[in-house]
Amino acid sequence: MLKKNVLITGGSKGLGASIAKKFAENGYNIILNYNKSTKEANLLKKDLEEKYKSKVLLVCADISLENEVKVMIDTIKKEFNSIDILVNNAGIAIDLPLEEKSADQFMKVISVNLLGTFLVTKYATTIMNKGSIINISSTNGIDTGYIESIDYDASKAGVIALTHDFAKYLAPKIRVNCIAPGWINTDMNKNLFDDFKKNEIQKIGLKKFANCDDIANVVYFLASDNANYINDAVIRVDGGYFE
């Protein structure tokens, strides 16, 4: 039986690494996209190969640049011929007070989070005959935004819009769904002020931030045949957040 191939953008650390491990332990070939985290990508590749005997391909690309995305997909095609699962996970945040946020910073976040998701999906689907795409948005793109993350929030709302459009365009061969996590214990959130974090935890029904594995489990479910009738869905994974 041929192994399936999963491409994970921003796959070298944090949530991306947890997603990679989940697919590796279930017998997938792993394609890890990364941009600057070369050391982390190589360590994760070694770990996945040793623990799970997975075939792991590292592909360095800035997903906000169209030519680099094209080269990435060409590289994957030469190595694996096709992609079965795409997880659009890569994302950045530049949280600043509104008066300090520049147009260049705003556009950088939009370029990676939104344009990057569009570009990878556009070119990855040229080598996907069927399968599943899971986009990682955020509850910030729905109803939990902050003025300091206005660019991030807008980008994640855009990812949800992309999900709806691609789900219609790619059906019935490729399912497209979206996960909107709430707070996760990742490097992106490691510098939160203690009082702010405590206050946010009190708004979560389960009284804790998610671990990366909590989100990775939902990603894997959506990719699996157990979710074969789920398409164009946006699933909140936020522990029951309420104001």
Side-chain angles (χ1 to χ4, degrees):
M1 183 177 176
L2 290 175
K3 284 189 174 184
K4 291 184 177 181
N5 310 314
V6 57
L7 166 60
I8 304 158
T9 66
S12 63
K13 57 185 180 178
L15 178 57
S18 291
I19 293 169
K21 290 175 184 176
K22 186 68 181 179
F23 279 93
E25 70 184 21
N26 283 280
Y28 279 73
N29 294 319
I30 309 297
I31 306 154
L32 294 175
N33 157 258
Y34 68 99
N35 186 13
K36 296 178 180 178
S37 303
T38 305
K39 179 181 178 181
E40 292 88 345
N42 280 290
L43 287 172
L44 180 58
K45 180 180 190 294
K46 184 173 183 289
D47 184 53
L48 297 179
E49 289 174 338
E50 290 179 354
K51 284 185 179 177
Y52 307 110
K53 309 305 178 186
S54 297
K55 185 174 182 179
V56 181
L57 174 66
L58 299 182
V59 191
C60 182
D62 181 341
I63 64 166
S64 69
L65 300 177
E66 187 167 19
N67 189 60
E68 292 197 19
V69 173
K70 287 181 179 179
V71 171
M72 175 174 73
I73 299 304
D74 286 343
T75 301
I76 295 167
K77 185 177 181 180
K78 289 174 184 175
E79 184 72 21
F80 289 119
N81 194 48
S82 65
I83 296 168
D84 299 288
I85 307 296
L86 165 62
V87 182
N88 282 307
N89 168 71
I92 62 169
I94 307 174
D95 290 352
L96 291 167
L98 180 62
E99 60 273 14
E100 297 177 20
K101 195 179 294 288
S102 69
D104 285 346
Q105 290 166 333
F106 190 100
M107 288 308 301
K108 181 175 179 60
V109 172
I110 296 293
S111 294
V112 174
N113 298 3
L114 183 56
L115 177 61
T117 298
F118 164 74
L119 289 172
V120 175
T121 303
K122 176 183 176 181
Y123 290 103
T125 51
T126 63
I127 59 171
M128 291 180 73
N129 298 316
K130 59 180 182 178
S132 177
I133 297 172
I134 300 96
N135 295 325
I136 306 299
S137 179
S138 169
T139 56
N140 283 42
I142 303 173
D143 57 11
T144 63
Y146 300 87
I147 196 64
E148 294 84 359
S149 60
I150 190 170
D151 39 10
Y152 178 85
D153 303 348
S155 72
K156 291 303 186 177
V159 168
I160 291 172
L162 285 183
T163 299
H164 295 318
D165 288 341
F166 274 120
K168 294 177 179 69
Y169 181 72
L170 297 171
K173 291 184 177 181
I174 299 172
R175 296 183 296 110
V176 186
N177 293 293
C178 183
I179 294 174
W183 289 109
I184 312 172
N185 284 314
T186 62
D187 286 347
M188 189 181 287
N189 298 321
K190 69 181 180 180
N191 295 320
L192 295 174
F193 292 116
D194 288 343
D195 287 346
F196 176 80
K197 185 172 181 178
K198 288 177 183 176
N199 186 55
E200 288 299 294
I201 287 173
Q202 288 307 307
K203 298 176 184 177
I204 301 170
L206 298 184
K207 301 303 180 206
K208 61 179 181 178
F209 279 19
N211 292 318
C212 290
D213 286 349
D214 297 325
I215 312 302
N217 288 335
V218 183
V219 172
Y220 183 76
F221 166 71
L222 283 176
S224 74
D225 289 341
N226 290 327
N228 64 9
Y229 200 65
I230 300 177
N231 188 46
D232 195 18
V234 179
I235 300 176
R236 298 182 72 120
V237 188
D238 65 357
Y241 185 96
F242 56 90
E243 290 289 348

